[in-house]
């Protein structure tokens, strides 16, 4: 039985997008034709480099939540499979996706794929590699997460008050379950390589603390337990800032 599904890929034009689309084409050219790429660049200087026939919609640079909303609202399928532009689908992924969705009971709104993050075998992983490796145990991560379109319609899709790729997926999952649906884990797998990041990546990650505060306001103080979410880096950030302030005060006192 063929499952009615569309793939939605939000992107800001990272080079990894080409690798994902190539892996989809190698896996299932028909499914590639059922893919919508959402261009979330604020002011693109040139069209995205995507294969001919791929549908591209624009979302105006408002973040991944808004981009995914633009993608699923442009689709007409019963299921929307969200895949991030920095993963690669594995052999058999397309068949496993269809099987995961075909076996979903009527009260199942979403099916999560399994994420593999390869770590170096010849050295200890860096902090960033360990951080990305945490995706292997994350629940409802939209690196590979399929939702029924009816469920997305019922809850209004992703909350666009989450401007980063952080917590917007957990927020949607909690709202879907609050609406009476179930979420399951499928058998399909994607690989999430750890790609290089700029020297300010740890500073940028601190911005996610604001999303944690929004999660608490929306879902209460016990939202982490429900979401099985790791605690953010706010405590370490506070300690680091306090230590830096103390050191500065000591130097000023000596002067």
């Amino acid at each position: 039985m063929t499952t009615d599904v569309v793939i939605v890929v939000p992107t800001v034009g990272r080079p990894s997008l080409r690798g994902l689309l190539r892996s989809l084409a190698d896996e299932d050219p028909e499914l590639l034709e059922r893919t919508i790429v959402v261009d979330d660049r604020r002011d693109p200087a040139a069209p995205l480099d995507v294969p001919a026939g791929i549908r591209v919609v624009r979302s105006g640079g408002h973040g991944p939540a808004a981009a995914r909303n633009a993608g699923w609202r442009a689709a007409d399928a019963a299921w929307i499979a969200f895949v991030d532009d920095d993963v690669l689908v594995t052999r058999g992924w397309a068949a496993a996706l269809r099987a995961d969705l075909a076996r979903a009971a009527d009260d199942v709104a979403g099916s999560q794929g399994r994420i593999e993050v390869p770590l170096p075998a010849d050295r200890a992983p860096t902090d960033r590699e360990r951080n990305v490796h945490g995706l292997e145990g994350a629940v409802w991560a939209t690196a590979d997460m399929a939702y029924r379109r009816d469920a997305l319609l019922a809850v209004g899709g992703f909350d666009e008050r989450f401007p980063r790729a952080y917590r917007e997926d957990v927020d949607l999952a909690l709202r879907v379950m609050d609406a009476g649906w179930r979420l399951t884990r499928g058998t399909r797998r994607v690989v999430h390589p750890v790609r290089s990041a700029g020297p300010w990546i740890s500073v940028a990650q601190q911005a996610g603390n604001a999303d944690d505060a929004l999660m608490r306001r929306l879902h209460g103080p016990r939202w982490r337990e429900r979401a099985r979410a790791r605690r953010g880096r706010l405590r370490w950030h506070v300690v680091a800032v306090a230590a830096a302030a103390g050191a500065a005060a000591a130097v000023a006192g000596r002067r």
Side-chain angles (χ1 to χ4, degrees):
M1 181 178 66
T2 300
T3 302
D4 186 19
V5 59
V6 163
I7 312 299
V8 169
V9 182
T11 187
V12 290
R14 294 186 291 187
S16 57
L17 173 65
R18 293 192 296 272
L20 166 64
L21 296 179
R22 191 178 304 115
S23 71
L24 274 171
D26 292 342
E27 176 61 19
D28 189 330
E30 179 183 348
L31 196 57
L32 181 67
E33 295 176 359
R34 301 276 293 165
T35 296
I36 296 176
V37 172
V38 185
D39 183 352
D40 197 46
R41 295 175 296 173
R42 187 175 298 276
D43 187 20
L48 286 175
D49 181 17
V50 299
I54 293 285
R55 184 180 178 187
V56 177
V57 301
R58 292 281 308 282
S59 55
H62 298 294
R68 294 189 187 102
N69 282 341
W72 74 260
R73 288 168 180 158
D76 58 358
W79 285 91
I80 313 296
F82 297 102
V83 180
D84 282 352
D85 70 350
D86 55 356
V87 304
L88 301 169
V89 302
T90 62
R91 185 174 299 277
W93 182 87
L97 170 67
R98 292 189 174 98
D100 289 341
L101 304 185
R103 73 169 64 96
D106 290 343
D107 64 338
V108 171
S111 169
Q112 180 185 352
R114 300 176 185 272
I115 305 170
E116 296 180 0
V117 181
L119 292 178
D122 58 343
R123 59 171 173 79
T126 65
D127 285 346
R128 172 164 171 76
E129 288 167 341
R130 284 193 293 267
N131 184 58
V132 177
H133 189 256
L135 284 172
E136 288 194 351
V139 292
W140 315 312
T142 41
D144 181 0
M145 184 75 192
Y147 277 101
R148 290 188 191 271
R149 195 173 192 277
D150 286 347
L152 294 170
L153 282 170
V155 302
F158 291 87
D159 189 333
E160 297 181 16
R161 288 175 292 180
F162 291 91
R164 289 164 288 273
Y166 187 73
R167 304 305 191 202
E168 85 291 353
D169 47 5
V170 173
D171 166 74
L172 175 61
L174 293 181
R175 287 188 288 114
V176 166
M177 290 189 293
D178 286 343
W181 300 83
R182 289 191 300 122
L183 302 176
T184 61
R185 186 179 288 269
T187 61
R188 63 194 186 278
R189 295 181 300 110
V190 297
V191 174
H192 191 307
V194 182
R195 295 181 170 88
S196 60
W200 296 102
I201 182 63
S202 61
V203 176
Q205 288 175 337
Q206 300 302 332
N209 295 323
D211 296 340
D212 284 349
L214 179 56
M215 286 293 295
R216 180 183 177 90
R217 179 160 65 86
L218 295 175
H219 299 285
R222 301 177 67 87
W223 71 267
R224 290 183 186 279
E225 297 175 26
R226 294 184 60 204
R228 287 175 276 170
R230 294 185 302 166
R231 188 165 296 278
R233 301 174 67 91
L234 178 60
R235 291 181 178 178
W236 295 110
H237 178 61
V238 170
V239 169
V241 170
V251 169
R254 287 197 297 271
R255 289 177 180 172

